[in-house]
Amino acid sequence: MRVLPRTWLTIDTDDVRHVPSNQGHPARSNPNPNLPQLSEQFKSGMKGFASWMRTHDYPLTLFVIADQCESEEFVRLMSTLCTEFGNRIQIGCHGLHHRSWSAWPKDVGAFSRDLSKSVSILEHHFPQHFKPWFRAPAGYIASWMIPVLVEHGFVVDSSINPSWLVSKKYGKGESWKTVQSTVKKSKIVERQWKTRFSLPTCGPAQHIMGLRWNAKRAWSRLEKPLSIKEIDFIENPNIELDTIYWHILDHARKDGTWIPPIRGL
């Protein structure tokens, strides 16, 4: 049976304190200790996201940073989403902290410990919604990380941005192609991010001058999103999907009225 093209809708839950300029990168980060555990901007974004979810029936995968669960309010907000939208919400792993792993020296042990703790936290708080799906913080993924993901039972990775513009994210001597090659030799299904003309269209690209026109154009031509009944397609290596992502914080834009520029939504 021929499967019609589909789009996987995903969203990252990074808060203001998690952005690489503040956390996780050896050169770019300048930590601000005064940033709150849960920002007002994030809470506004969660409210806007929930409002948008009520306008359609499609499922969304949220990639959650496990340390956010240190906030009882965050867990409450997430649990409210899960209760209201039920099996339309899936939760993937976005790391324990927002550490840009491939920007640092290789450390299999530390990455393995972080994955173990992340999975434990997310399974504890969201047992009915957690999926063994991974997205590297800030898209910083390297080949050495793939076997560790396999060891911890992950079946899907969605970290590769196949664009020449972000080649530095893959570590010294690597590129998205070398990481992709490693994934293909493993049991993991890779769901790389949507590009257009080899330029990024996801996350910050939707808002950066010089990229946003192309990014919005790409999203306006996306195939129909996956339905709840088609969620299993994500783990099927024989089915091609377009994968896009944005951030909860985006929903705080325009006084909480921003919505993703997706055709039909």
Side-chain angles (χ1 to χ4, degrees):
M1 181 180 69
R2 182 173 177 267
V3 177
L4 295 175
R6 290 288 184 262
T7 299
W8 182 23
L9 305 179
T10 74
I11 188 164
D12 292 356
T13 65
D14 316 14
D15 202 346
V16 176
R17 66 186 174 92
H18 293 111
V19 298
S21 61
N22 185 73
Q23 181 189 114
H25 195 282
R28 295 171 58 191
S29 298
N30 183 22
N32 179 356
N34 296 318
L35 289 177
Q37 190 178 47
L38 192 69
S39 71
E40 292 301 319
Q41 186 177 344
F42 183 87
K43 287 184 274 189
S44 174
M46 286 288 276
K47 183 178 179 180
F49 173 65
S51 294
W52 176 70
M53 284 288 286
R54 297 182 190 112
T55 67
H56 63 86
D57 296 318
Y58 295 111
L60 263 289
T61 299
L62 290 88
F63 282 93
V64 176
I65 304 168
D67 76 0
Q68 292 180 286
C69 295
E70 295 172 3
S71 164
E72 293 182 2
E73 186 174 7
F74 173 82
V75 173
R76 179 181 60 77
L77 289 171
M78 287 293 298
S79 297
T80 298
L81 278 181
C82 292
T83 298
E84 179 173 355
F85 300 111
N87 60 358
R88 291 176 59 200
I89 298 292
Q90 300 86 46
I91 293 176
C93 178
H94 199 32
L96 179 60
H97 309 291
H98 207 250
R99 179 181 173 89
S100 304
W101 284 98
S102 61
W104 298 83
K106 175 180 176 180
D107 193 337
V108 170
F111 183 53
S112 180
R113 289 189 294 273
D114 272 25
L115 282 180
S116 181
K117 190 170 183 180
S118 298
V119 170
S120 177
I121 291 170
L122 296 175
E123 284 186 330
H124 170 72
H125 288 290
F126 317 110
Q128 304 302 317
H129 299 267
F130 178 73
K131 300 287 186 180
W133 304 341
F134 180 78
R135 174 167 292 153
Y140 280 85
I141 186 80
S143 294
W144 64 264
M145 298 165 66
I146 304 303
V148 187
L149 291 174
V150 173
E151 181 182 341
H152 284 270
F154 285 90
V155 297
V156 172
D157 175 70
S158 182
S159 304
I160 292 179
N161 188 353
S163 171
W164 59 271
L165 201 59
V166 292
S167 58
K168 292 183 179 180
K169 287 194 173 187
Y170 301 100
K172 188 175 181 181
E174 288 218 67
S175 68
W176 69 266
K177 292 182 179 180
T178 62
V179 178
Q180 185 184 63
S181 177
T182 302
V183 173
K184 286 182 177 180
K185 297 173 185 175
S186 74
K187 298 178 180 178
I188 287 182
V189 176
E190 180 61 43
R191 296 300 182 190
Q192 63 187 33
W193 307 344
K194 177 73 173 176
T195 59
R196 183 171 185 258
F197 302 135
S198 297
L199 292 172
T201 71
C202 296
Q206 283 288 320
H207 312 287
I208 295 174
M209 188 174 295
L211 293 176
R212 63 190 179 196
W213 180 88
N214 180 65
K216 293 178 187 296
R217 187 71 169 171
W219 283 25
S220 71
R221 298 182 174 186
L222 289 167
E223 301 293 347
K224 185 178 180 181
L226 289 169
S227 68
I228 293 175
K229 294 180 179 179
E230 296 169 330
I231 286 298
D232 289 344
F233 288 5
I234 296 165
E235 297 184 5
N236 189 333
N238 299 314
I239 297 178
E240 293 187 10
L241 301 173
D242 278 336
T243 298
I244 64 168
Y245 90 91
W246 63 99
H247 291 96
I248 284 290
L249 291 176
D250 288 329
H251 285 279
R253 295 173 182 267
K254 298 183 178 180
D255 294 324
T257 65
W258 182 93
I259 59 173
I262 301 169
R263 180 176 61 182
L265 290 179

